[in-house]
Amino acid sequence: MKKLLCAVLSTAMLAGLLAGCGSSSSASASSTETAATSESASAASAVSASDKTLRIAWSRDIQTLDVHKTSDNYEIPLNIYDRLFEIKLNDDGSTELVNSLVEDYTVSDDGLTYNFTLHSGVTFSDGTPLTANDVKYTFTRMLALPDSVQTDYASAIAGSEAVMDGTATELTGIQVQDDTHFTVTLSVPFAGFLYQLATPSCSIYSEKNVEAAGDAFGQDYTQTIGSGPYVVTSWTRDAGMTLDANPNYWGTKPDVQHVEISIVPDASTISMMFQNGEIDLLDCDAIDAAVVDSTYKTQYADRIVTAHRLATTYLALNENVEPLNDVKVRKAIQMAIDREGILSAVYSGEGTISDGIFPQGLIGYSQENQGWLTHDAEAAKSLLAEAGYPDGFTMEIAADSSADASTLLALQIIQQDLSEVGIQAEIKSYDAASWLDLRTSGNMVSYISTWTADYNDPDNFIYTFFGTPEKTKIRSLNYYNTEVMDRVAAARAIVDDDARLTEYAALEKQIVQEDAAWVPMYSRTHLYVLGDRVASFVPYWAGYSDFAFSGVTLA
């Protein structure tokens, strides 16, 4: 009952919670919104699908078109560049790796050498031919650029360390034979390599264009081009952007020929624009969850598209902090939290409970590692008593002040659940920069966060968090089990796929069930609402907001 009460906190209480956490986020939409009448629809709603124009809204502008310098501004790069491979989302929700710029490839038996053949005749949007030298240039730049945030995606290539530390300018692991043939040699086998190549991070650049643009690359849209299906044709910062279909595109021509993006910080305005017919596709992550429940799930039920997120929300526990360094205490916290209650109260049950590291849909997901964790307050109390804390203890949960209201409400429910077993958790707010600095220092006591797949391989989750002591430190986990971390690192080089996935399942069980390194929470679903002008929409395979405009078909 208390969780249902939490879910319907009054507007005043929720506003107070946000103010107390220093939130600067935009106001939420009113839960009493109703569909606009035809009289209130603006002239923009008169645009017909025959115009082949897609209109969408973002709550904030992107900062750069250069994917080497960002890890969260992917939607436009996803559409103006191509990659060697792509991940295809099938009708049944499964995914598969498909060729893009690569026409054919082979992999050596030892998993070290990849021989690639590019499609011939591919050009960038300015007509410059794409060659294998552009591929080598892209990965070399990714490693050498001082402010690159994508070095992990080329770090498996032989010679990458020398390029990163500045002792070499040539990436020896990539050898170009001619315009369409090149070889990539890895320093050690890595089964997830091809899936990495399908990420927006590995978009292929034109060496000619990037070098000519210099510092303007990624900032001046007129000097930032790719070989993808779209070209940016205007960009007014914090106001909007337009894209047009690339006339020189080598692949299948998209149905959408023109894209108009408006920057609209206010959630209620975005919602009303959709109801007025001013935008064609609504990302429900951009508006208040209460409005989704009260308006869109009722009045637009037949226009909702559901995307499964390949993501795991987790509660991190710092093992360098007493008493979280006691595995019995960590297991007690796992059992104390009613995850089903949080998913139901905060997200209307839109999602699935996670009992491990890997979300459902990810390669390596193990059904055998699900179903073991249940909410049991009495068992949690017994474990705390065994650990020497019969009366509980106090701890801090760090909150990012820029977090949305749903995350803050989830933290509040966690706080209540912990109090029932005697743990007094203080939710302490930090501004976004301070929150990140504290977490990466390894000194954050506890926090809640979500990791969404960058590439469809278990390595993207387990190695990111538990691959080295340094990685566990910057996540403020400070996981103690170095033997397990060595196994996580070694698993990357297992060539036999069945053996590799078996090892990942065993490691997942050890880390989460035996060592209780974090509290697995849930994987949320992602809802979109289609306007009348949209006939079909294919979300991004991992379920996050960025998507390919070529996945939209207009009615």
Side-chain angles (χ1 to χ4, degrees), residues 328-394:
K328 291 182 178 180
V329 171
R330 299 195 300 274
K331 288 184 176 182
I333 293 175
Q334 287 180 330
M335 290 188 290
I337 298 174
D338 183 0
R339 302 168 299 155
E340 287 275 12
I342 296 172
L343 189 62
S344 175
V346 181
Y347 300 107
S348 301
E350 295 287 355
T352 57
I353 295 299
S354 297
D355 283 348
I357 298 171
F358 310 130
Q360 188 174 1
L362 188 80
I363 293 172
Y365 173 80
S366 171
Q367 188 62 48
E368 293 181 0
N369 284 347
Q370 303 300 310
W372 64 274
L373 181 57
T374 58
H375 174 225
D376 192 334
E378 293 305 313
K381 290 178 183 178
S382 297
L383 270 180
L384 288 175
E386 289 179 26
Y389 298 94
D391 300 320
F393 57 90
T394 60

Side-chain angles (χ1 to χ4, degrees), residues 229-269:
Y230 294 94
V231 178
V232 178
T233 50
S234 72
W235 185 10
T236 302
R237 298 301 178 104
D238 298 319
M241 176 182 288
T242 62
L243 295 89
D244 285 310
N246 175 5
N248 292 322
Y249 187 51
W250 61 278
T252 302
K253 305 299 183 183
D255 185 63
V256 171
Q257 294 293 297
H258 180 69
V259 182
E260 296 178 355
I261 302 167
S262 301
I263 308 301
V264 185
D266 182 67
S268 60
T269 301

Side-chain angles (χ1 to χ4, degrees), residues 79 120 182 187 213 262 357 378:
N79 286 281
S120 58
F182 65 99
S187 53
S262 301
I357 298 171
E378 293 305 313

Side-chain angles (χ1 to χ4, degrees), residues 474-485:
I474 66 172
R475 304 285 172 189
S476 274
L477 292 163
N478 290 304
Y479 183 54
Y480 76 95
N481 198 330
T482 55
E483 179 184 349
V484 169
M485 286 186 276

Side-chain angles (χ1 to χ4, degrees), residues 178-336:
D178 55 40
D179 284 352
T180 58
H181 295 86
F182 65 99
T183 299
V184 177
T185 302
L186 306 184
S187 53
V188 294
F190 175 37
F193 181 62
L194 292 180
Y195 288 92
Q196 281 192 333
L197 298 181
T199 67
S201 309
C202 294
S203 298
I204 302 303
Y205 289 169
S206 161
E207 178 177 9
K208 172 187 172 183
N209 173 253
V210 175
E211 290 300 305
D215 292 340
F217 182 78
Q219 296 298 315
D220 182 346
Y221 71 90
T222 66
Q223 298 189 59
T224 307
I225 60 122
S227 64
Y230 294 94
V231 178
V232 178
T233 50
S234 72
W235 185 10
T236 302
R237 298 301 178 104
D238 298 319
M241 176 182 288
T242 62
L243 295 89
D244 285 310
N246 175 5
N248 292 322
Y249 187 51
W250 61 278
T252 302
K253 305 299 183 183
D255 185 63
V256 171
Q257 294 293 297
H258 180 69
V259 182
E260 296 178 355
I261 302 167
S262 301
I263 308 301
V264 185
D266 182 67
S268 60
T269 301
I270 290 178
S271 181
M272 190 57 69
M273 286 176 69
F274 179 80
Q275 294 180 46
N276 286 343
E278 297 172 63
I279 57 176
D280 303 309
L281 195 155
L282 178 67
D283 180 351
C284 290
D285 274 12
I287 61 174
D288 186 83
V291 180
V292 176
D293 286 341
S294 65
T295 300
Y296 292 102
K297 288 184 180 179
T298 55
Q299 300 178 37
Y300 297 85
D302 61 341
R303 303 295 295 168
I304 290 178
V305 171
T306 300
H308 178 69
R309 296 179 208 259
L310 272 70
T312 298
T313 298
Y314 61 93
L315 179 70
L317 303 173
N318 192 333
E319 297 182 24
N320 270 359
V321 177
E322 291 186 0
L324 300 183
N325 58 344
D326 189 321
V327 67
K328 291 182 178 180
V329 171
R330 299 195 300 274
K331 288 184 176 182
I333 293 175
Q334 287 180 330
M335 290 188 290

